[in-house]
Amino acid sequence: QILVFDHFELLKLRLGGSSSTSTSVGGGPELSPSAGSVTTIDLSHDGDALIAGYTSGLVVLWDAIRGTILKSVGDAHSSPVTSVRFIPRPDSLSVVTVDAGGLVNRLNFSKMVLFSTYTVETECLLDGTAGQILATHVLPPPPMHSPLTAGRGDDGALGLHPGFKKLSMIALSSDRSTFSVAVEPTVSVLYRWARPTEDMMDVDSFMANLLALKAVDGKEPDGSEMKQRTVPEPQAFLPCISWGWAQIQGGGKAVTPILARAWGCAVQFLRASFPDSDGDVGDDAGAVQWPAFGDYNEFQASAPVVALEWLGERSLVYLTVTNEFTVVDTVMMTLIERLDFSVVKLVYAEFSLSRVASTQSANGGSDDQDKTITIRSQCISTTFQNSIRSADGRILILCQEDLLAVSNLGIKQRVSTLEEDGEWLEALALALDHYESTIKSLEDRRRLRDRDLSKHPEFARGQRSEEEEWIAALLLRYMKLAVENAPEPVRDNSAGSAGRDKQQSRFIDLAHGHFQMLAGVCIDFCVVTRRLDLLFGPVFDCFKFAQYVSVFFDVLEPYVLNEKLDYIAPEAMTFFIDHCKAMNDLAIVERCLLHMNVTFMDFDTILSLLRDNGMYTALLHVYGRGLDDFATPLAELFEALFDAADSCNAKTYRRPDGIPKNLFEEYGYKAMMYIQFCLQGKMFPQGTSLEPAEKVQAVRHEVLGFLQEETHAAPPTMRKRGSANSSMS
């Protein structure tokens, strides 16, 4: 019997069997017990028709709404039907049928309007000489939201080529190869995909390990009981194939046909695509344009795969012989979920696989007497190709006692679920994975670097997508919750007992550790998502309000030194310098500046800060790298050098270890090193070569010209000091 349920999971119809509610329509005979058992079914994409195959070779087209037989086809197959699939064409009712002998037919059903009956036209696609067909799948219709553009759209993503609108493809797999076959607009074999090598399938290694486990009385090496199997052990593993419209890495939300195949432990992906073209493919194009095929990706499963289906546009599910039901993100190639199906009794079919082998038999040692002996063997394998199907973003799994539905939650639903469960770090990590796989790659194509701070990629406004703002809002919600629930720091403002002091210290450490963790999460999140407007806006303001700016900069410093962050906003830089002053280590600021992109800095602010704090190494670097000016910073350094000479005894002897005793020695040594680097054509202080080559001569001329001047006027930025001497001689 075939049971038909509605969307509310209520039983509506029983098709076939002694208690059938079906009746004959038109010239179709009443379904009799001689038809045998149902072996495979499929539902049309509009849900109005159902096709069923039987052990007798009978194929029946049912009305899924009224429960009537629309057409019975008894002469298309003489062997049990192993697979039936509707071909998604809006203007026709067409089905691909496969039997156990390898015969593949296409049945085209037509309705006679006058008599309301159906006729069928049978077209043979494979006559069985290629061997048994072990797996079949039809490319479903494309998602409705896919962009129908030729080539690349405005966002740089590969859209759906219009050639796919006229194309219907199926995939067939024998024991040796998998074929991609076009059935519309004409029948044509488009691609032959060879069987994976034995090393890739890795079946022998798995079976050896399985036998080793059985050798220890059914115990795992660690002593735990082996999982109880719910299906017989197969003697051979069949290929599993599934067409799907899937996203690709770096392609944004655009989809393309991808054929997934599992054979043994090897899981592979074949992509179909049309080459980019400047011209559109019109509907009246005379020549048929076929897609090209190429390997897209592959990975190894932990055990041989017995079922495979697409779940949405970026998820693939597969079932292994060890009862592991696994969901994989095919864009990032990461594990999403793994379920134990050892207690689930799935419906399966045993497939009798015929194999033919040839060998040479020597007779009397004479070559002309050698004979070729053909050996035919039969082995039993287990197949689930008719037990697991994908429909409407769900995987439907037919069990012996019930029907399971596995839903595919979208990224926002999954993140929201984790958020509701309080799993904030997991939610943020999932959002970051989504950002890197679908948003970051598209932004890289759009962003252009410019010296203007407003054009800095991390500060560009008006270019944020809805998903970017959603990810940013997730971080801000987490930060607000973390601050509201932070441990209360207990300040030691009174003389208490020793025990109380110890308790206060413990609370202070808890608060410090809490904000240290929070800073790490926020900074890493903003750096990965390139949201420096958040980092130096709401995030930095939050740490200022909580009075944990020092913790923020302690965590921020390694990101700059490791060149993961190349910019610090002016306000934050002021606080950063004050923080380093409090630590009595201004050298940290200079080390950080050497790793930053100074071309985007607010020069008036940063140079003033460097000058006021005597950080001339960083000042020389910012002038040279950011302003392409090599003489002005030298003039400022000379001014500071002469001021230092006036305030100390410049004629004192140097220390034996060479360490400068005063600012005069420090600035003088720095000036000599700077001049040496400029004359050698190197950037100070990194020592990297100046580029392009003609720039070296310009820098030498600029520095030598400055040194040859008889008097050196103080730069305009220095004159406001109001020194008695307006020139340096």
Side-chain angles (χ1 to χ4, degrees):
Q1 283 188 349
I2 301 173
L3 306 181
V4 180
F5 295 83
D6 61 13
H7 290 288
F8 301 101
E9 301 181 4
L10 297 176
L11 180 62
K12 304 300 292 185
L13 296 172
R14 295 177 183 268
L15 308 180
S18 58
S19 60
S20 174
T21 62
S22 63
T23 59
S24 177
V25 175
E30 187 74 18
L31 189 63
S32 65
S34 62
S37 302
V38 178
T39 55
T40 175
I41 63 173
D42 194 25
L43 191 67
S44 63
H45 294 86
D46 58 10
D48 293 340
L50 183 146
I51 193 77
Y54 296 82
T55 54
S56 63
L58 180 68
V59 177
V60 178
L61 180 67
W62 295 89
D63 186 323
I65 305 299
R66 296 181 296 169
T68 57
I69 297 176
L70 299 178
K71 186 65 179 176
S72 295
V73 183
D75 56 356
H77 296 280
S78 58
S79 301
V81 179
T82 59
S83 180
V84 291
R85 293 283 179 139
F86 278 100
I87 299 174
R89 300 300 296 174
D91 54 349
S92 64
L93 200 58
S94 185
V95 180
V96 172
T97 61
V98 182
D99 67 20
L103 178 63
V104 181
N105 287 326
R106 176 181 177 179
L107 306 181
N108 298 308
F109 295 93
S110 301
K111 184 177 181 180
M112 300 178 64
V113 179
L114 183 60
F115 300 102
S116 296
T117 59
Y118 279 80
T119 61
V120 62
E121 178 184 350
T122 303
E123 180 182 4
C124 181
L125 301 181
L126 287 177
D127 59 4
T129 57
Q132 292 174 292
I133 298 301
L134 309 180
T136 309
H137 208 277
V138 175
L139 177 66
M144 296 301 295
H145 59 79
S146 296
L148 292 174
T149 58
R152 298 187 177 274
D154 295 337
D155 59 353
L158 184 61
L160 185 63
H161 195 281
F164 285 122
K165 293 192 295 182
K166 302 184 296 181
L167 183 65
S168 294
M169 290 190 294
I170 65 173
L172 305 169
S173 189
S174 67
D175 192 36
R176 296 184 296 272
S177 301
T178 301
F179 300 91
S180 177
V181 181
V183 293
E184 288 285 349
T186 60
V187 177
S188 177
V189 177
L190 303 181
Y191 189 77
R192 177 183 175 274
W193 196 9
R195 172 189 173 123
T197 63
E198 296 299 327
D199 290 340
M200 294 175 62
M201 295 170 62
D202 201 27
V203 174
D204 293 339
S205 174
F206 169 78
M207 296 303 294
N209 293 335
L210 190 62
L211 292 174
L213 293 176
K214 289 183 177 180
V216 255
D217 297 328
K219 300 281 187 177
E220 296 277 5
D222 60 359
S224 62
E225 295 288 341
M226 292 181 61
K227 293 179 180 178
Q228 182 179 359
R229 290 186 48 80
T230 59
V231 297
E233 246 177 54
Q235 301 173 9
F237 296 102
L238 304 179
C240 306
I241 55 178
S242 179
W243 273 115
W245 293 91
Q247 299 174 8
I248 60 174
Q249 191 167 20
K253 291 185 177 181
V255 295
T256 185
I258 293 183
L259 177 62
R261 180 179 72 177
W263 212 328
C265 297
V267 181
Q268 302 169 298
F269 299 89
L270 184 73
R271 180 186 175 191
S273 61
F274 285 94
D276 291 342
S277 175
D278 295 334
D280 294 338
V281 179
D283 294 336
D284 57 348
V288 177
Q289 188 176 11
W290 301 118
F293 292 82
D295 294 339
Y296 172 63
N297 217 326
E298 65 181 20
F299 64 89
Q300 289 289 116
S302 59
V305 177
V306 294
L308 182 79
E309 276 288 346
W310 283 97
L311 179 59
E313 298 169 4
R314 56 178 297 158
S315 300
L316 184 79
V317 301
Y318 62 87
L319 177 69
T320 66
V321 71
T322 55
N323 304 308
E324 289 184 343
F325 187 83
T326 306
V327 185
V328 177
D329 186 322
T330 55
V331 176
M332 297 298 294
M333 286 299 164
T334 55
L335 175 68
I336 297 177
E337 190 72 57
R338 178 169 288 157
L339 305 175
D340 183 5
F341 269 32
S342 58
V343 296
V344 179
K345 296 182 179 180
L346 276 69
V347 173
Y348 62 91
E350 292 184 345
F351 197 93
S352 180
L353 183 61
S354 300
R355 288 182 171 176
V356 179
S358 300
T359 183
Q360 295 288 334
S361 175
N363 185 8
S366 175
D367 292 340
D368 57 359
Q369 293 180 338
D370 289 350
K371 296 181 179 180
T372 300
I373 300 178
T374 300
I375 302 175
R376 297 182 181 273
S377 61
Q378 296 282 336
C379 62
I380 304 299
S381 186
T382 305
T383 176
F384 293 84
Q385 70 170 340
N386 294 318
S387 304
I388 298 180
R389 291 290 177 89
S390 176
D392 298 328
R394 298 187 302 171
I395 293 292
L396 302 178
I397 304 171
L398 182 61
C399 303
Q400 297 178 19
E401 298 179 355
D402 49 16
L403 181 70
L404 296 181
V406 179
S407 299
N408 182 25
L409 296 178
I411 182 66
K412 292 186 178 181
Q413 291 176 294
R414 291 160 59 191
V415 170
S416 297
T417 300
L418 291 171
E419 184 179 345
E420 292 172 359
D421 294 339
E423 304 291 343
W424 281 97
L425 296 183
E426 288 81 358
L428 291 168
L430 184 60
L432 283 183
D433 287 342
H434 174 69
Y435 172 84
E436 291 187 316
S437 63
T438 61
I439 302 176
K440 183 178 179 181
S441 57
L442 294 178
E443 289 181 349
D444 286 340
R445 302 190 186 103
R446 294 197 301 257
R447 289 175 168 176
L448 299 174
R449 292 189 174 270
D450 196 294
R451 287 181 178 270
D452 185 2
L453 178 62
S454 63
K455 299 294 182 62
H456 191 283
E458 283 73 17
F459 279 85
R461 300 184 182 276
Q463 301 180 9
R464 306 296 183 189
S465 66
E466 180 181 350
E467 289 192 333
E468 287 181 281
E469 296 299 342
W470 164 73
I471 290 176
L474 175 68
L475 175 67
L476 296 180
R477 288 198 302 272
Y478 165 71
M479 183 178 66
K480 179 182 178 182
L481 185 67
V483 172
E484 290 175 351
N485 294 274
E488 185 69 26
V490 181
R491 307 300 180 186
D492 187 13
N493 51 12
S494 62
S497 63
R500 182 176 178 180
D501 290 344
K502 183 176 181 180
Q503 183 181 11
Q504 291 174 346
S505 177
R506 180 173 66 86
F507 277 110
I508 293 174
D509 288 341
L510 284 176
H512 183 276
H514 178 84
F515 279 95
Q516 192 174 46
M517 181 274 295
L518 178 61
V521 172
C522 293
I523 293 173
D524 191 65
F525 198 92
C526 292
V527 168
V528 172
T529 59
R530 305 176 181 182
R531 292 300 300 268
L532 299 192
D533 58 323
L534 290 180
L535 181 61
F536 297 116
V539 174
F540 183 64
D541 292 341
C542 174
F543 279 84
K544 282 195 303 181
F545 178 79
Q547 298 181 357
Y548 278 95
V549 172
S550 59
V551 173
F552 178 85
F553 287 120
D554 286 340
V555 179
L556 185 74
E557 179 189 343
Y559 284 86
V560 178
L561 296 179
N562 292 322
E563 298 183 352
K564 293 182 179 180
L565 180 65
D566 64 353
Y567 181 82
I568 297 179
E571 181 187 8
M573 179 62 76
T574 302
F575 279 88
F576 184 41
I577 293 176
D578 293 340
H579 166 68
C580 294
K581 273 185 179 179
M583 297 175 59
N584 198 25
D585 192 1
L586 283 173
I588 295 177
V589 179
E590 292 193 302
R591 287 199 301 269
C592 288
L593 280 171
L594 298 181
H595 293 271
M596 292 167 59
N597 187 352
V598 298
T599 60
F600 289 109
M601 289 185 173
D602 182 349
F603 294 109
D604 292 338
T605 302
I606 191 64
L607 291 176
S608 177
L609 288 172
L610 297 178
R611 192 180 300 115
D612 294 343
N613 291 277
M615 292 182 286
Y616 286 97
T617 299
L619 185 138
L620 294 169
H621 170 71
V622 171
Y623 262 111
R625 183 72 71 179
L627 297 174
D628 203 21
D629 185 349
F630 294 86
T632 302
L634 186 58
E636 293 198 22
L637 181 58
F638 276 8
E639 177 72 11
L641 174 66
F642 297 144
D643 287 346
D646 294 339
S647 61
C648 68
N649 185 4
K651 297 182 179 180
T652 56
Y653 293 100
R654 294 177 60 85
R655 286 175 44 169
D657 55 9
I659 299 177
K661 293 187 297 183
N662 48 50
L663 289 178
F664 174 75
E665 291 187 13
E666 179 184 341
Y667 293 161
Y669 176 75
K670 195 166 295 185
M672 288 189 293
M673 290 297 299
Y674 178 75
I675 294 171
Q676 179 182 353
F677 272 54
C678 290
L679 297 181
Q680 291 177 347
K682 298 178 180 179
M683 286 296 300
F684 180 84
Q686 297 94 331
T688 56
S689 299
L690 286 168
E691 294 181 355
E694 52 268 18
K695 185 176 181 179
V696 176
Q697 296 298 330
V699 171
R700 288 174 179 169
H701 178 77
E702 182 180 356
V703 172
L704 288 175
F706 170 79
L707 294 175
Q708 291 173 356
E709 294 178 4
E710 294 184 1
T711 60
H712 304 286
T717 55
M718 305 292 293
R719 291 173 186 164
K720 63 181 180 180
R721 296 183 178 182
S723 58
N725 299 326
S726 60
S727 64
M728 300 177 288
S729 58

